Amino acid sequence: MKSALVVSTIGLLLCASIAALPARSVDTAGNESEVADTGSALQRISAQLQQPAQMLGEFRQQKILPNLPRPLQSSGVIALSQELGISWNTTAPVPSRIVMGGNSDAATSSAFSRQMAEPMLHILNGDFQALQQTFYVDAGYAADVDDPQVPQWKMSLRPRSARLQKYLQAIEIFGADSVHRIRLLEGNQSVTDIELLNMKSVAAQDVQFLAAFEQR
């Protein structure tokens, strides 16, 4: 497990064609060599990720609801901390804030966010061993990449528990040296697609970073 953070939450799809490995940990009776391939991919991804303890950046989110003709668009600032959790500060179209996980009392009380907080923090921490306790995991690398020094990868997570399946069908994660995008396929047929932008390492006492977690 790494002590640093990758990039963001709930919300991140690269436009490249991602070649998923044949490995599927979803089938406990599956081929052992295929499961081993998935394990090797996760080790490679974990080693590739660069993630400081605190990060600050921006996000663009698109949420597709089955009963709406157009997706809902939003954007804002995201702060990531292994100690404090994840803070989503939406600035447009309507200002709002959600804090997930960590020790913050400001964490949202919605059922979906409570269910998502722990796995999202594991994703952002690169703690894939913990993820495999909650999800069936597939992982693979893109067949063609622009920069062979920083290969692009995709990870797919499907919940093991029936309880979490009520809220979530799958999580798709796309990245290179950091997570670029997370896509949530929700239990109500909604799709949330979040792109992370301009993510940078910040000091624990950075004013803007601390402000993201202040109680309001």
Side-chain angles (χ1 to χ4, degrees), residues 13-53:
L13 288 166
L14 295 172
C15 293
S17 173
I18 305 294
L21 291 174
R24 285 185 177 270
S25 55
V26 297
D27 186 358
T28 56
N31 188 289
E32 290 184 2
S33 65
E34 292 180 348
V35 174
D37 288 343
T38 293
S40 297
L42 293 178
Q43 290 180 352
R44 183 181 173 191
I45 293 170
S46 181
Q48 182 177 331
L49 291 174
Q50 300 176 7
Q51 43 187 134

PDB file of all heavy atoms in Angstrom, residues 13-53:
ATOM      1  N   LEU A  13     -11.869   8.351 -18.857  1.00  0.00           N
ATOM      2  CA  LEU A  13     -11.919   7.517 -20.018  1.00  0.00           C
ATOM      3  C   LEU A  13     -10.929   8.094 -20.966  1.00  0.00           C
ATOM      4  O   LEU A  13     -11.111   9.165 -21.469  1.00  0.00           O
ATOM      5  CB  LEU A  13     -13.207   7.636 -20.757  1.00  0.00           C
ATOM      6  CG  LEU A  13     -14.350   7.028 -20.120  1.00  0.00           C
ATOM      7  CD1 LEU A  13     -15.566   7.486 -20.758  1.00  0.00           C
ATOM      8  CD2 LEU A  13     -14.216   5.640 -19.996  1.00  0.00           C
ATOM      9  N   LEU A  14     -10.035   7.493 -21.119  1.00  0.00           N
ATOM     10  CA  LEU A  14      -9.091   7.904 -22.118  1.00  0.00           C
ATOM     11  C   LEU A  14      -9.660   7.609 -23.487  1.00  0.00           C
ATOM     12  O   LEU A  14     -10.350   6.637 -23.686  1.00  0.00           O
ATOM     13  CB  LEU A  14      -7.763   7.166 -21.921  1.00  0.00           C
ATOM     14  CG  LEU A  14      -7.073   7.513 -20.615  1.00  0.00           C
ATOM     15  CD1 LEU A  14      -5.890   6.606 -20.397  1.00  0.00           C
ATOM     16  CD2 LEU A  14      -6.639   8.944 -20.619  1.00  0.00           C
ATOM     17  N   CYS A  15      -9.325   8.437 -24.507  1.00  0.00           N
ATOM     18  CA  CYS A  15      -9.875   8.235 -25.842  1.00  0.00           C
ATOM     19  C   CYS A  15      -9.131   7.134 -26.598  1.00  0.00           C
ATOM     20  O   CYS A  15      -9.375   6.905 -27.765  1.00  0.00           O
ATOM     21  CB  CYS A  15      -9.807   9.550 -26.630  1.00  0.00           C
ATOM     22  SG  CYS A  15     -10.891  10.812 -25.940  1.00  0.00           S
ATOM     23  N   ALA A  16      -8.177   6.506 -25.936  1.00  0.00           N
ATOM     24  CA  ALA A  16      -7.470   5.402 -26.573  1.00  0.00           C
ATOM     25  C   ALA A  16      -8.248   4.114 -26.399  1.00  0.00           C
ATOM     26  O   ALA A  16      -9.064   3.994 -25.503  1.00  0.00           O
ATOM     27  CB  ALA A  16      -6.078   5.256 -25.954  1.00  0.00           C
ATOM     28  N   SER A  17      -7.966   3.154 -27.232  1.00  0.00           N
ATOM     29  CA  SER A  17      -8.596   1.848 -27.103  1.00  0.00           C
ATOM     30  C   SER A  17      -7.809   1.056 -26.091  1.00  0.00           C
ATOM     31  O   SER A  17      -6.634   0.776 -26.298  1.00  0.00           O
ATOM     32  CB  SER A  17      -8.589   1.127 -28.447  1.00  0.00           C
ATOM     33  OG  SER A  17      -9.057  -0.187 -28.291  1.00  0.00           O
ATOM     34  N   ILE A  18      -8.454   0.717 -24.951  1.00  0.00           N
ATOM     35  CA  ILE A  18      -7.754   0.019 -23.888  1.00  0.00           C
ATOM     36  C   ILE A  18      -7.928  -1.477 -24.080  1.00  0.00           C
ATOM     37  O   ILE A  18      -9.043  -1.974 -24.149  1.00  0.00           O
ATOM     38  CB  ILE A  18      -8.305   0.431 -22.519  1.00  0.00           C
ATOM     39  CG1 ILE A  18      -8.233   1.948 -22.369  1.00  0.00           C
ATOM     40  CG2 ILE A  18      -7.545  -0.236 -21.405  1.00  0.00           C
ATOM     41  CD1 ILE A  18      -6.863   2.527 -22.323  1.00  0.00           C
ATOM     42  N   ALA A  19      -6.824  -2.166 -24.147  1.00  0.00           N
ATOM     43  CA  ALA A  19      -6.882  -3.613 -24.330  1.00  0.00           C
ATOM     44  C   ALA A  19      -6.897  -4.286 -22.975  1.00  0.00           C
ATOM     45  O   ALA A  19      -5.876  -4.390 -22.311  1.00  0.00           O
ATOM     46  CB  ALA A  19      -5.668  -4.083 -25.138  1.00  0.00           C
ATOM     47  N   ALA A  20      -8.049  -4.737 -22.553  1.00  0.00           N
ATOM     48  CA  ALA A  20      -8.156  -5.385 -21.253  1.00  0.00           C
ATOM     49  C   ALA A  20      -7.479  -6.733 -21.296  1.00  0.00           C
ATOM     50  O   ALA A  20      -7.539  -7.444 -22.283  1.00  0.00           O
ATOM     51  CB  ALA A  20      -9.631  -5.571 -20.886  1.00  0.00           C
ATOM     52  N   LEU A  21      -6.825  -7.071 -20.213  1.00  0.00           N
ATOM     53  CA  LEU A  21      -6.209  -8.389 -20.115  1.00  0.00           C
ATOM     54  C   LEU A  21      -7.287  -9.450 -20.068  1.00  0.00           C
ATOM     55  O   LEU A  21      -8.395  -9.210 -19.613  1.00  0.00           O
ATOM     56  CB  LEU A  21      -5.366  -8.464 -18.835  1.00  0.00           C
ATOM     57  CG  LEU A  21      -4.110  -7.614 -18.817  1.00  0.00           C
ATOM     58  CD1 LEU A  21      -3.478  -7.689 -17.449  1.00  0.00           C
ATOM     59  CD2 LEU A  21      -3.124  -8.087 -19.866  1.00  0.00           C
ATOM     60  N   PRO A  22      -6.966 -10.674 -20.489  1.00  0.00           N
ATOM     61  CA  PRO A  22      -7.955 -11.734 -20.372  1.00  0.00           C
ATOM     62  C   PRO A  22      -8.185 -12.134 -18.944  1.00  0.00           C
ATOM     63  O   PRO A  22      -9.116 -12.857 -18.645  1.00  0.00           O
ATOM     64  CB  PRO A  22      -7.301 -12.883 -21.162  1.00  0.00           C
ATOM     65  CG  PRO A  22      -5.843 -12.608 -21.100  1.00  0.00           C
ATOM     66  CD  PRO A  22      -5.718 -11.113 -21.114  1.00  0.00           C
ATOM     67  N   ALA A  23      -7.327 -11.643 -18.040  1.00  0.00           N
ATOM     68  CA  ALA A  23      -7.453 -12.033 -16.641  1.00  0.00           C
ATOM     69  C   ALA A  23      -8.729 -11.498 -16.043  1.00  0.00           C
ATOM     70  O   ALA A  23      -9.070 -10.340 -16.219  1.00  0.00           O
ATOM     71  CB  ALA A  23      -6.258 -11.493 -15.868  1.00  0.00           C
ATOM     72  N   ARG A  24      -9.420 -12.332 -15.290  1.00  0.00           N
ATOM     73  CA  ARG A  24     -10.634 -11.925 -14.605  1.00  0.00           C
ATOM     74  C   ARG A  24     -10.650 -12.570 -13.244  1.00  0.00           C
ATOM     75  O   ARG A  24     -10.802 -13.765 -13.123  1.00  0.00           O
ATOM     76  CB  ARG A  24     -11.881 -12.343 -15.377  1.00  0.00           C
ATOM     77  CG  ARG A  24     -12.130 -11.486 -16.597  1.00  0.00           C
ATOM     78  CD  ARG A  24     -13.442 -11.865 -17.239  1.00  0.00           C
ATOM     79  NE  ARG A  24     -13.724 -11.006 -18.359  1.00  0.00           N
ATOM     80  CZ  ARG A  24     -14.388  -9.876 -18.263  1.00  0.00           C
ATOM     81  NH1 ARG A  24     -14.819  -9.467 -17.096  1.00  0.00           N
ATOM     82  NH2 ARG A  24     -14.629  -9.143 -19.333  1.00  0.00           N
ATOM     83  N   SER A  25     -10.500 -11.758 -12.207  1.00  0.00           N
ATOM     84  CA  SER A  25     -10.615 -12.290 -10.872  1.00  0.00           C
ATOM     85  C   SER A  25     -12.073 -12.479 -10.494  1.00  0.00           C
ATOM     86  O   SER A  25     -12.381 -12.893  -9.391  1.00  0.00           O
ATOM     87  CB  SER A  25      -9.939 -11.339  -9.870  1.00  0.00           C
ATOM     88  OG  SER A  25     -10.470 -10.054  -9.991  1.00  0.00           O
ATOM     89  N   VAL A  26     -13.006 -12.181 -11.399  1.00  0.00           N
ATOM     90  CA  VAL A  26     -14.423 -12.309 -11.102  1.00  0.00           C
ATOM     91  C   VAL A  26     -14.847 -13.765 -10.989  1.00  0.00           C
ATOM     92  O   VAL A  26     -15.848 -14.078 -10.383  1.00  0.00           O
ATOM     93  CB  VAL A  26     -15.278 -11.617 -12.184  1.00  0.00           C
ATOM     94  CG1 VAL A  26     -14.987 -10.149 -12.211  1.00  0.00           C
ATOM     95  CG2 VAL A  26     -15.034 -12.228 -13.552  1.00  0.00           C
ATOM     96  N   ASP A  27     -14.093 -14.660 -11.604  1.00  0.00           N
ATOM     97  CA  ASP A  27     -14.465 -16.064 -11.608  1.00  0.00           C
ATOM     98  C   ASP A  27     -13.521 -16.833 -10.707  1.00  0.00           C
ATOM     99  O   ASP A  27     -12.367 -17.060 -11.056  1.00  0.00           O
ATOM    100  CB  ASP A  27     -14.386 -16.608 -13.038  1.00  0.00           C
ATOM    101  CG  ASP A  27     -14.903 -18.035 -13.140  1.00  0.00           C
ATOM    102  OD1 ASP A  27     -15.285 -18.590 -12.098  1.00  0.00           O
ATOM    103  OD2 ASP A  27     -14.903 -18.571 -14.265  1.00  0.00           O
ATOM    104  N   THR A  28     -14.013 -17.200  -9.530  1.00  0.00           N
ATOM    105  CA  THR A  28     -13.152 -17.877  -8.572  1.00  0.00           C
ATOM    106  C   THR A  28     -12.713 -19.240  -9.078  1.00  0.00           C
ATOM    107  O   THR A  28     -11.749 -19.812  -8.571  1.00  0.00           O
ATOM    108  CB  THR A  28     -13.881 -18.051  -7.232  1.00  0.00           C
ATOM    109  OG1 THR A  28     -15.105 -18.760  -7.450  1.00  0.00           O
ATOM    110  CG2 THR A  28     -14.184 -16.703  -6.614  1.00  0.00           C
ATOM    111  N   ALA A  29     -13.417 -19.764 -10.082  1.00  0.00           N
ATOM    112  CA  ALA A  29     -13.036 -21.045 -10.649  1.00  0.00           C
ATOM    113  C   ALA A  29     -12.211 -20.857 -11.916  1.00  0.00           C
ATOM    114  O   ALA A  29     -11.940 -21.807 -12.647  1.00  0.00           O
ATOM    115  CB  ALA A  29     -14.287 -21.873 -10.968  1.00  0.00           C
ATOM    116  N   GLY A  30     -11.812 -19.635 -12.183  1.00  0.00           N
ATOM    117  CA  GLY A  30     -11.113 -19.324 -13.419  1.00  0.00           C
ATOM    118  C   GLY A  30      -9.684 -19.801 -13.427  1.00  0.00           C
ATOM    119  O   GLY A  30      -9.149 -20.339 -12.460  1.00  0.00           O
ATOM    120  N   ASN A  31      -9.043 -19.575 -14.567  1.00  0.00           N
ATOM    121  CA  ASN A  31      -7.680 -20.023 -14.761  1.00  0.00           C
ATOM    122  C   ASN A  31      -6.728 -19.266 -13.850  1.00  0.00           C
ATOM    123  O   ASN A  31      -6.732 -18.045 -13.799  1.00  0.00           O
ATOM    124  CB  ASN A  31      -7.295 -19.791 -16.235  1.00  0.00           C
ATOM    125  CG  ASN A  31      -5.967 -20.392 -16.571  1.00  0.00           C
ATOM    126  OD1 ASN A  31      -4.939 -19.897 -16.127  1.00  0.00           O
ATOM    127  ND2 ASN A  31      -5.997 -21.463 -17.341  1.00  0.00           N
ATOM    128  N   GLU A  32      -5.867 -19.993 -13.142  1.00  0.00           N
ATOM    129  CA  GLU A  32      -4.970 -19.366 -12.173  1.00  0.00           C
ATOM    130  C   GLU A  32      -3.964 -18.459 -12.869  1.00  0.00           C
ATOM    131  O   GLU A  32      -3.573 -17.427 -12.328  1.00  0.00           O
ATOM    132  CB  GLU A  32      -4.255 -20.431 -11.354  1.00  0.00           C
ATOM    133  CG  GLU A  32      -5.171 -21.182 -10.393  1.00  0.00           C
ATOM    134  CD  GLU A  32      -4.406 -22.164  -9.531  1.00  0.00           C
ATOM    135  OE1 GLU A  32      -3.172 -22.214  -9.683  1.00  0.00           O
ATOM    136  OE2 GLU A  32      -5.039 -22.853  -8.722  1.00  0.00           O
ATOM    137  N   SER A  33      -3.521 -18.825 -14.069  1.00  0.00           N
ATOM    138  CA  SER A  33      -2.548 -17.999 -14.765  1.00  0.00           C
ATOM    139  C   SER A  33      -3.146 -16.665 -15.177  1.00  0.00           C
ATOM    140  O   SER A  33      -2.473 -15.643 -15.178  1.00  0.00           O
ATOM    141  CB  SER A  33      -2.015 -18.732 -16.009  1.00  0.00           C
ATOM    142  OG  SER A  33      -3.047 -18.928 -16.950  1.00  0.00           O
ATOM    143  N   GLU A  34      -4.457 -16.661 -15.527  1.00  0.00           N
ATOM    144  CA  GLU A  34      -5.115 -15.410 -15.878  1.00  0.00           C
ATOM    145  C   GLU A  34      -5.214 -14.506 -14.676  1.00  0.00           C
ATOM    146  O   GLU A  34      -5.012 -13.291 -14.764  1.00  0.00           O
ATOM    147  CB  GLU A  34      -6.500 -15.698 -16.456  1.00  0.00           C
ATOM    148  CG  GLU A  34      -6.455 -16.395 -17.815  1.00  0.00           C
ATOM    149  CD  GLU A  34      -7.831 -16.667 -18.370  1.00  0.00           C
ATOM    150  OE1 GLU A  34      -8.799 -16.527 -17.604  1.00  0.00           O
ATOM    151  OE2 GLU A  34      -7.941 -17.015 -19.551  1.00  0.00           O
ATOM    152  N   VAL A  35      -5.543 -15.068 -13.496  1.00  0.00           N
ATOM    153  CA  VAL A  35      -5.597 -14.284 -12.271  1.00  0.00           C
ATOM    154  C   VAL A  35      -4.217 -13.724 -11.949  1.00  0.00           C
ATOM    155  O   VAL A  35      -4.070 -12.580 -11.509  1.00  0.00           O
ATOM    156  CB  VAL A  35      -6.135 -15.140 -11.111  1.00  0.00           C
ATOM    157  CG1 VAL A  35      -6.058 -14.363  -9.802  1.00  0.00           C
ATOM    158  CG2 VAL A  35      -7.564 -15.565 -11.383  1.00  0.00           C
ATOM    159  N   ALA A  36      -3.187 -14.524 -12.185  1.00  0.00           N
ATOM    160  CA  ALA A  36      -1.820 -14.064 -11.948  1.00  0.00           C
ATOM    161  C   ALA A  36      -1.484 -12.892 -12.863  1.00  0.00           C
ATOM    162  O   ALA A  36      -0.786 -11.957 -12.466  1.00  0.00           O
ATOM    163  CB  ALA A  36      -0.839 -15.204 -12.161  1.00  0.00           C
ATOM    164  N   ASP A  37      -1.986 -12.924 -14.133  1.00  0.00           N
ATOM    165  CA  ASP A  37      -1.759 -11.816 -15.053  1.00  0.00           C
ATOM    166  C   ASP A  37      -2.390 -10.539 -14.525  1.00  0.00           C
ATOM    167  O   ASP A  37      -1.821  -9.456 -14.640  1.00  0.00           O
ATOM    168  CB  ASP A  37      -2.337 -12.146 -16.433  1.00  0.00           C
ATOM    169  CG  ASP A  37      -1.509 -13.191 -17.170  1.00  0.00           C
ATOM    170  OD1 ASP A  37      -0.352 -13.406 -16.775  1.00  0.00           O
ATOM    171  OD2 ASP A  37      -2.036 -13.795 -18.119  1.00  0.00           O
ATOM    172  N   THR A  38      -3.586 -10.641 -13.959  1.00  0.00           N
ATOM    173  CA  THR A  38      -4.225  -9.474 -13.370  1.00  0.00           C
ATOM    174  C   THR A  38      -3.387  -8.947 -12.214  1.00  0.00           C
ATOM    175  O   THR A  38      -3.194  -7.736 -12.077  1.00  0.00           O
ATOM    176  CB  THR A  38      -5.634  -9.830 -12.863  1.00  0.00           C
ATOM    177  OG1 THR A  38      -6.463 -10.129 -13.978  1.00  0.00           O
ATOM    178  CG2 THR A  38      -6.245  -8.673 -12.097  1.00  0.00           C
ATOM    179  N   GLY A  39      -2.885  -9.841 -11.378  1.00  0.00           N
ATOM    180  CA  GLY A  39      -2.040  -9.425 -10.268  1.00  0.00           C
ATOM    181  C   GLY A  39      -0.792  -8.713 -10.747  1.00  0.00           C
ATOM    182  O   GLY A  39      -0.365  -7.710 -10.165  1.00  0.00           O
ATOM    183  N   SER A  40      -0.195  -9.199 -11.831  1.00  0.00           N
ATOM    184  CA  SER A  40       0.999  -8.559 -12.380  1.00  0.00           C
ATOM    185  C   SER A  40       0.683  -7.164 -12.908  1.00  0.00           C
ATOM    186  O   SER A  40       1.465  -6.221 -12.735  1.00  0.00           O
ATOM    187  CB  SER A  40       1.579  -9.420 -13.505  1.00  0.00           C
ATOM    188  OG  SER A  40       1.987 -10.676 -13.021  1.00  0.00           O
ATOM    189  N   ALA A  41      -0.490  -7.033 -13.560  1.00  0.00           N
ATOM    190  CA  ALA A  41      -0.891  -5.719 -14.070  1.00  0.00           C
ATOM    191  C   ALA A  41      -1.098  -4.735 -12.934  1.00  0.00           C
ATOM    192  O   ALA A  41      -0.697  -3.573 -13.016  1.00  0.00           O
ATOM    193  CB  ALA A  41      -2.162  -5.851 -14.909  1.00  0.00           C
ATOM    194  N   LEU A  42      -1.725  -5.182 -11.843  1.00  0.00           N
ATOM    195  CA  LEU A  42      -1.954  -4.299 -10.703  1.00  0.00           C
ATOM    196  C   LEU A  42      -0.638  -3.868 -10.067  1.00  0.00           C
ATOM    197  O   LEU A  42      -0.479  -2.714  -9.648  1.00  0.00           O
ATOM    198  CB  LEU A  42      -2.836  -5.004  -9.670  1.00  0.00           C
ATOM    199  CG  LEU A  42      -4.285  -5.274 -10.102  1.00  0.00           C
ATOM    200  CD1 LEU A  42      -5.032  -6.028  -9.015  1.00  0.00           C
ATOM    201  CD2 LEU A  42      -5.009  -3.981 -10.442  1.00  0.00           C
ATOM    202  N   GLN A  43       0.317  -4.780  -9.983  1.00  0.00           N
ATOM    203  CA  GLN A  43       1.630  -4.428  -9.440  1.00  0.00           C
ATOM    204  C   GLN A  43       2.316  -3.390 -10.321  1.00  0.00           C
ATOM    205  O   GLN A  43       2.936  -2.441  -9.830  1.00  0.00           O
ATOM    206  CB  GLN A  43       2.495  -5.677  -9.316  1.00  0.00           C
ATOM    207  CG  GLN A  43       2.053  -6.632  -8.227  1.00  0.00           C
ATOM    208  CD  GLN A  43       2.924  -7.863  -8.136  1.00  0.00           C
ATOM    209  OE1 GLN A  43       3.792  -8.090  -8.981  1.00  0.00           O
ATOM    210  NE2 GLN A  43       2.684  -8.679  -7.126  1.00  0.00           N
ATOM    211  N   ARG A  44       2.187  -3.565 -11.625  1.00  0.00           N
ATOM    212  CA  ARG A  44       2.798  -2.623 -12.564  1.00  0.00           C
ATOM    213  C   ARG A  44       2.143  -1.251 -12.459  1.00  0.00           C
ATOM    214  O   ARG A  44       2.824  -0.224 -12.464  1.00  0.00           O
ATOM    215  CB  ARG A  44       2.667  -3.170 -13.982  1.00  0.00           C
ATOM    216  CG  ARG A  44       3.332  -2.308 -15.046  1.00  0.00           C
ATOM    217  CD  ARG A  44       3.129  -2.924 -16.416  1.00  0.00           C
ATOM    218  NE  ARG A  44       3.621  -2.041 -17.471  1.00  0.00           N
ATOM    219  CZ  ARG A  44       3.392  -2.220 -18.768  1.00  0.00           C
ATOM    220  NH1 ARG A  44       2.669  -3.266 -19.158  1.00  0.00           N
ATOM    221  NH2 ARG A  44       3.863  -1.373 -19.652  1.00  0.00           N
ATOM    222  N   ILE A  45       0.812  -1.232 -12.372  1.00  0.00           N
ATOM    223  CA  ILE A  45       0.098   0.041 -12.241  1.00  0.00           C
ATOM    224  C   ILE A  45       0.479   0.735 -10.940  1.00  0.00           C
ATOM    225  O   ILE A  45       0.746   1.938 -10.899  1.00  0.00           O
ATOM    226  CB  ILE A  45      -1.424  -0.185 -12.308  1.00  0.00           C
ATOM    227  CG1 ILE A  45      -1.832  -0.660 -13.705  1.00  0.00           C
ATOM    228  CG2 ILE A  45      -2.180   1.102 -11.955  1.00  0.00           C
ATOM    229  CD1 ILE A  45      -3.265  -1.134 -13.802  1.00  0.00           C
ATOM    230  N   SER A  46       0.524  -0.037  -9.848  1.00  0.00           N
ATOM    231  CA  SER A  46       0.869   0.533  -8.549  1.00  0.00           C
ATOM    232  C   SER A  46       2.259   1.160  -8.576  1.00  0.00           C
ATOM    233  O   SER A  46       2.483   2.243  -8.021  1.00  0.00           O
ATOM    234  CB  SER A  46       0.794  -0.556  -7.473  1.00  0.00           C
ATOM    235  OG  SER A  46       1.104  -0.032  -6.204  1.00  0.00           O
ATOM    236  N   ALA A  47       3.206   0.480  -9.246  1.00  0.00           N
ATOM    237  CA  ALA A  47       4.568   1.009  -9.327  1.00  0.00           C
ATOM    238  C   ALA A  47       4.642   2.234 -10.231  1.00  0.00           C
ATOM    239  O   ALA A  47       5.485   3.115 -10.037  1.00  0.00           O
ATOM    240  CB  ALA A  47       5.509  -0.077  -9.845  1.00  0.00           C
ATOM    241  N   GLN A  48       3.738   2.327 -11.210  1.00  0.00           N
ATOM    242  CA  GLN A  48       3.745   3.427 -12.173  1.00  0.00           C
ATOM    243  C   GLN A  48       3.151   4.704 -11.601  1.00  0.00           C
ATOM    244  O   GLN A  48       3.550   5.810 -11.984  1.00  0.00           O
ATOM    245  CB  GLN A  48       2.959   2.999 -13.413  1.00  0.00           C
ATOM    246  CG  GLN A  48       2.918   4.018 -14.532  1.00  0.00           C
ATOM    247  CD  GLN A  48       2.173   3.471 -15.743  1.00  0.00           C
ATOM    248  OE1 GLN A  48       2.148   2.266 -15.984  1.00  0.00           O
ATOM    249  NE2 GLN A  48       1.557   4.349 -16.512  1.00  0.00           N
ATOM    250  N   LEU A  49       2.211   4.573 -10.677  1.00  0.00           N
ATOM    251  CA  LEU A  49       1.521   5.739 -10.145  1.00  0.00           C
ATOM    252  C   LEU A  49       2.450   6.625  -9.340  1.00  0.00           C
ATOM    253  O   LEU A  49       3.258   6.155  -8.544  1.00  0.00           O
ATOM    254  CB  LEU A  49       0.349   5.295  -9.261  1.00  0.00           C
ATOM    255  CG  LEU A  49      -0.821   4.627  -9.987  1.00  0.00           C
ATOM    256  CD1 LEU A  49      -1.821   4.115  -8.979  1.00  0.00           C
ATOM    257  CD2 LEU A  49      -1.472   5.584 -10.958  1.00  0.00           C
ATOM    258  N   GLN A  50       2.307   7.900  -9.549  1.00  0.00           N
ATOM    259  CA  GLN A  50       3.036   8.894  -8.775  1.00  0.00           C
ATOM    260  C   GLN A  50       2.017   9.680  -7.975  1.00  0.00           C
ATOM    261  O   GLN A  50       1.178  10.366  -8.543  1.00  0.00           O
ATOM    262  CB  GLN A  50       3.830   9.825  -9.702  1.00  0.00           C
ATOM    263  CG  GLN A  50       4.846   9.090 -10.562  1.00  0.00           C
ATOM    264  CD  GLN A  50       5.538  10.014 -11.539  1.00  0.00           C
ATOM    265  OE1 GLN A  50       5.351  11.231 -11.500  1.00  0.00           O
ATOM    266  NE2 GLN A  50       6.333   9.436 -12.417  1.00  0.00           N
ATOM    267  N   GLN A  51       2.084   9.580  -6.634  1.00  0.00           N
ATOM    268  CA  GLN A  51       1.036  10.178  -5.842  1.00  0.00           C
ATOM    269  C   GLN A  51       1.545  10.726  -4.513  1.00  0.00           C
ATOM    270  O   GLN A  51       1.812   9.993  -3.587  1.00  0.00           O
ATOM    271  CB  GLN A  51      -0.067   9.150  -5.591  1.00  0.00           C
ATOM    272  CG  GLN A  51       0.465   7.792  -5.230  1.00  0.00           C
ATOM    273  CD  GLN A  51      -0.617   6.743  -5.158  1.00  0.00           C
ATOM    274  OE1 GLN A  51      -0.462   5.677  -5.672  1.00  0.00           O
ATOM    275  NE2 GLN A  51      -1.701   7.042  -4.490  1.00  0.00           N
ATOM    276  N   PRO A  52       1.650  12.033  -4.423  1.00  0.00           N
ATOM    277  CA  PRO A  52       2.030  12.647  -3.156  1.00  0.00           C
ATOM    278  C   PRO A  52       0.916  12.550  -2.127  1.00  0.00           C
ATOM    279  O   PRO A  52      -0.210  12.181  -2.450  1.00  0.00           O
ATOM    280  CB  PRO A  52       2.310  14.106  -3.540  1.00  0.00           C
ATOM    281  CG  PRO A  52       1.519  14.324  -4.785  1.00  0.00           C
ATOM    282  CD  PRO A  52       1.500  13.016  -5.505  1.00  0.00           C
ATOM    283  N   ALA A  53       1.227  12.877  -0.889  1.00  0.00           N
ATOM    284  CA  ALA A  53       0.266  12.712   0.207  1.00  0.00           C
ATOM    285  C   ALA A  53      -0.928  13.643   0.093  1.00  0.00           C
ATOM    286  O   ALA A  53      -2.023  13.307   0.532  1.00  0.00           O
ATOM    287  CB  ALA A  53       0.964  12.930   1.540  1.00  0.00           C
TER     288      ALA A  53
END
